[in-house]
Amino acid sequence: MTKAEIQLVRALADKRGRTEHGLFVAEGEKLIGELRVSHLRVRKIFALEGVFEGPETETVTPRDMERLSLLKTANNSLALVEIPRYDIATARPDERLTLALDEVQNPGNMGTIIRLADWFGISDIVCSEGSADCYNPKVVQATMGAILRVRVHYTDLPRFLSSAAQRGIPVYGTFLEGENLYETALTPTGIVVMGNEGRGVGEATARTVTRKLLIPPYPADRRGSESLNVAMATGIVCAEFRRRSTK
């Protein structure tokens, strides 16, 4: 393992480095094993002896793995993977349910939401340009492999949503003044918008929402937590949409 290789891995901890090199880092035997049989291209694997074999694999020592790892605790393997390029036209909210994230910035939340999308059969997530990078090492690990199956797009979100609304596609969003999620009609297709951890859905994005929803507390008049974590709220909303669509 060369000094240049260590510097490359370190550079990929930063979004600028990932953009420059077109690569992201994945760590762990299970995740890398899934990557090797996916549509993504694994450029290089650094692994402890006996973990992986192949021309792209370089065997390293435990000490070297600790130097390479971007996690608090080093895994037994680390891969450099080419960042895929997806056409946003593959997101078809007129045909299937799509998630939209407005300035969701916490890597853990982003990773959990991608994992939730995978669980609920949502193949596309459209993000505002200020949302967390889905190829951040913390996000990649939090997805538990879902990053291989969910396409994540970054775009001018208000413009994307406005265009969808003009075509008659329902644009849902969660708001304190919204209709009770469990009592309002929901469609099997459309867009569900989730907002920033502290501010919720931004003003420009909120103007494009055509159906405001509320996740009600229980009981309705109880004064408890001010809000739900965005990933938790996403799971609740997606579960209700899918429950309705299977009836």
Side-chain angles (χ1 to χ4, degrees):
M1 186 177 66
T2 66
K3 185 177 180 180
E5 289 173 325
I6 296 173
Q7 290 175 336
L8 172 59
V9 173
R10 291 294 171 196
L12 300 181
D14 183 73
K15 184 178 179 180
R16 183 180 298 178
R18 292 191 293 274
T19 300
E20 178 184 345
H21 296 284
L23 298 169
F24 71 93
V25 171
E27 300 192 46
E29 186 176 356
K30 184 177 184 300
L31 177 55
I32 295 172
E34 289 187 58
L35 279 162
R36 295 182 90 189
V37 296
S38 75
H39 65 286
L40 302 187
R41 181 166 180 250
V42 177
R43 180 86 61 84
K44 179 88 175 183
I45 297 173
F46 300 96
L48 300 184
E49 188 174 0
V51 178
F52 286 111
E53 294 181 357
E56 79 280 25
T57 301
E58 181 176 337
T59 300
V60 298
T61 67
R63 179 178 172 80
D64 285 336
M65 190 58 67
E66 288 179 3
R67 294 167 67 196
L68 280 171
S69 179
L70 302 181
L71 304 176
K72 287 184 178 179
T73 303
N75 241 304
N76 62 5
S77 48
L78 179 150
L80 306 183
V81 188
E82 293 185 6
I83 294 175
R85 304 297 177 191
Y86 299 123
D87 186 344
I88 198 169
T90 60
R92 296 297 304 270
D94 55 328
E95 297 180 355
R96 52 187 177 263
L97 197 63
T98 300
L99 275 177
L101 304 182
D102 185 30
E103 303 294 299
V104 170
Q105 295 174 336
N106 180 278
N109 285 335
M110 175 65 78
T112 301
I113 290 170
I114 294 171
R115 190 176 176 186
L116 282 165
D118 186 38
W119 183 261
F120 287 110
I122 296 171
S123 55
D124 291 277
I125 300 177
V126 180
C127 303
S128 63
E129 291 166 344
S131 293
D133 179 16
C134 67
Y135 298 109
N136 176 308
K138 292 180 181 178
V139 176
V140 172
Q141 296 305 124
T143 70
M144 299 293 286
I147 194 70
L148 313 180
R149 295 175 290 275
V150 177
R151 296 181 291 266
V152 183
H153 314 270
Y154 291 84
T155 190
D156 181 330
L157 188 60
R159 180 180 295 180
F160 174 83
L161 297 174
S162 178
S163 174
Q166 289 171 11
R167 288 182 283 137
I169 296 169
V171 179
Y172 297 91
T174 52
F175 297 84
L176 291 176
E177 70 273 20
E179 299 177 65
N180 188 319
L181 171 68
Y182 303 111
E183 296 175 355
T184 189
L186 302 175
T187 57
T189 61
I191 304 171
V192 177
V193 183
M194 305 303 295
N196 174 268
E197 289 85 353
R199 302 185 302 274
V201 177
E203 186 177 333
T205 299
R207 286 196 293 267
T208 69
V209 172
T210 59
R211 300 283 300 278
K212 293 185 176 183
L213 302 173
L214 166 70
I215 301 172
Y218 183 85
D221 59 350
R222 181 175 182 270
R223 294 186 65 82
S225 300
E226 192 174 282
S227 62
L228 289 172
N229 167 275
V230 64
M232 185 181 295
T234 303
I236 292 169
V237 173
C238 288
E240 183 62 12
F241 268 85
R242 289 312 195 207
R243 187 184 73 82
R244 303 283 191 92
S245 66
T246 57
K247 285 187 173 181

